[in-house]
Amino acid sequence: MFLILGHSCSNLFLVFLVFTVTCFSSCWVLYGEQVQGGDGSHKSSTLSSFIYATTVLKPYEWRYISVDLPPWFSSVTIALESNIGVDLKRIGKVSTLPMICFREGSPPLPDVYNTSLTGLVIDHISNSSFGGSQDLQMVEKCYPMQKSISLMLTNEQIRPGIWYFGLFNGIGPIRTQSKMINRGHSYSFSGNITVEGCTNSAMLGKFCNQTISFLSCLDTYISPESGIANMTPCGGTEESCLDVAGSKVYSLDVVSIAEEIIITALNITFTQSQRSNGAINSSGHSLMCYVRHGTLPQPQLYDYSADINRSPLVIPLPRLGRWYIKILPANLSESMSAIQEMNTTICYSLEWQVLRCPADKAGLNCTTAKYTLQTFLKRTPYVAFESYYLPISGEVSSGSASFPLGPLLSNSSDGDYTWTFFLLDIPDGAAGGNIHVRVASEARISGEIYARYGGFPSHSNWDYFYANSTSNSNGSMFFKLYDASDKSVSFYIIYARGGTWSFGLRHPISNRHSSTVETTMSISLERCPEKCSSHGACKSVLDSSGLTFYSFCDCDRRNGGFDCSVELVSSSGQMWQSISLIGSNAAALLPAYWALCHKAFAEWVLYTSSGISSGLYHACDLGTWCPLSYHVLQFMDFWLSFMAVVSTFVYLSTIDEVTKRAIHTVVAILTALMAESGPTKSSNIILVVAIGTLALFIGFLIEFFTHHRWISFSTEICLNMLNRWETVKAWIHNFIRSLLKRFRWVFLLAGFTALAMAAISWKLETSQNYWIWHSAWHVSIYTSSFLFLCSKATAVNCENEQPRSENYELARQNSFSGSNERGGR
């Protein structure tokens, strides 16, 4: 007890010492990072840094890397190294092209549609690849892979949040197809991702030198000029002044779904302070307001803009999150040089309002219905993040995953159509899931469905929509329509981003209580679309960062695509593949029959078992019949095939059975390891032939030292060197003659030819032509074994054909030794 306690105390002291040193080092590093740029213009620190070890991507494999950027990040540095570089001038098939894709909010998926290839940019990825007005939540960009990728992206280019990088070694329907082999060009990559952030939350920008003024939204604020009824505004005002050549940046957080943001400048005055004091008339001057969601706006890059000196800036249906507002003087009537000489100051009162409807209403007049959907987890505990959503309403029962629309639809509007909105939340870690929307009715569906992330959709502002079978988002990168009949609609939003989603139903006005037509709707979060179309298994894994749980379909041999809906092998094609792959194993009867006729029972059992195991393995792989597990059948097929090849070489030698059993035991161990660790490797055929050749060579060595011990290296060789040399030449001549008599060389050469054909067939195998060349492999490898067995002839003992002079010399020595022995007696 004392020793244990003493050991524990020592460990505690060591832990305390390491903790103290670590804290001191961390604090010193943090202090050194924070004090750089003593003027306060460059205060940043490392928020996170991830190092990704070397990872190998085989053909049609992929990896996802996610990067979480907080609102106060300043830049992210991405450095990737790979052993492959695509020549942009020699790009062949896009389906086999190694590429890197990126997307905001959820993982990229470049092969949902063929139209998704429009996201492929035939250029090298660079810092300029990011930014712009294109919303990278709804689309993605892909670039050919490079040997070295170095990016430094700032908060002026990309928004904070989770960004996903996907590295693909080939795309297309075959990517998710189950493959018996996976051969082709592989490449490896490694990388490092570092996120830098501003230590002062009031400072942003690439160098953390842009001061941000935070605008708070007060629920008690009422604008003196507000005449909007039915809405609950929040807002405020702030007095500000800035130099005519300067600018000012504000941030405003929208924390709940809103209808409008209104930004106005009041009491604008221009004051000069040098040559003449006084105020300049603000009429004719412009005070530009640039607004951007998530990141800092620029005069060339923004979401909304207006001259707020003339009219307010109105943002309809704003998204949730942080909005940045930049105020910048522009288009002054005086020349800019004159204004700067006068040191003009612009003062104004900035007013902002966020207009919201009551909890159960929506729309610009707050006349349409809005429902918040509650999450109900599905009863599948082994599948994470699968759920369905129901309205929080007394008119809807939670006993079913669908709910009736009739009691919920809005019935008031200014026109013939009205809106009904549904809000739901998706967990951030479930960004690899899919939103499934279904509507079924007893009559013809006359409504339209609009979906939008982070805000209400409208007829002109949406992310995805469905109006009818010909007018919808089908064909976009992440929208998949499965049913578009008159009475039912079913579609998926692929890899939906985590956060708040809003679904709006635009439908004709009707008396919802008197309607006798039942229409139901269901919204659910599913891991794989259409449950992989009943042609595969849905698998879920974590990305390389361990931050996101995403799912994908592992399809069977006949189907592929992200949802296993693409038929790659027809029924007739599968029948011919089955006949070819299973029937070609009948070639094993050739060596088995020969071995049985020559009473080589061990070889007969081996060839017969190899043919049967291969047939059962391919029957299981093609979905015909699996008497045992797939892994067991695969192991038995490759192991017995390897053993059959090596045993054929061993049989060609004339060593005794004890030595053969020893060689077979060693070979069985080696080939079993090969069949278990990597049975489909291209290098296996070379290793197997090498092992068989080595076994045959060892057999010849054993035979040589067994039958040719007459070579003496005594001192007598030096006395009669000429006779000894003639003896050696005669032995070599007899050895070659016996070697020529040992084999039937026509069969031996034919066997090597068949073996070469088998090696070529193995090398030419790909995922597409596997059934053709692997069938040729079966026929070639068993035929080569049969020909090798036929090539063995009766062995000639070289000892019986030794030179006569040597026999005479040995006999004379023996006679002399015998006479001496008799004389001694």
Side-chain angles (χ1 to χ4, degrees), residues 63 122 244-245 249 386 452 474 484 503 539 626 665-666 777 793:
R63 291 290 186 277
I122 308 299
V244 70
V249 180
E386 280 210 336
R452 187 165 177 248
N474 198 34
F503 290 86
K539 295 186 177 181
C626 294
T665 303
V666 174
W777 152 266

Side-chain angles (χ1 to χ4, degrees), residues 48-106:
S48 61
S49 182
F50 297 94
I51 298 177
Y52 298 93
T54 301
T55 303
V56 178
L57 290 183
K58 296 179 180 179
Y60 297 105
E61 289 187 344
W62 70 96
R63 291 290 186 277
Y64 287 130
I65 298 175
S66 62
V67 184
D68 192 1
L69 306 178
W72 58 90
F73 94 98
S74 60
S75 65
V76 55
T77 302
I78 302 171
L80 293 177
E81 300 288 339
S82 71
N83 61 348
I84 188 170
V86 178
D87 188 353
L88 300 181
K89 298 180 180 179
R90 297 182 179 179
I91 293 180
K93 293 182 179 180
V94 176
S95 59
T96 58
L97 179 67
M99 63 178 64
I100 179 172
C101 305
F102 61 86
R103 185 187 177 196
E104 179 186 1
S106 54

Side-chain angles (χ1 to χ4, degrees), residues 101 115-121 139-143 477:
C101 305
T115 55
S116 297
L117 296 180
T118 56
L120 177 62
V121 181
V139 297
E140 63 190 12
K141 282 188 176 182
C142 297
Y143 292 83
M477 289 187 179

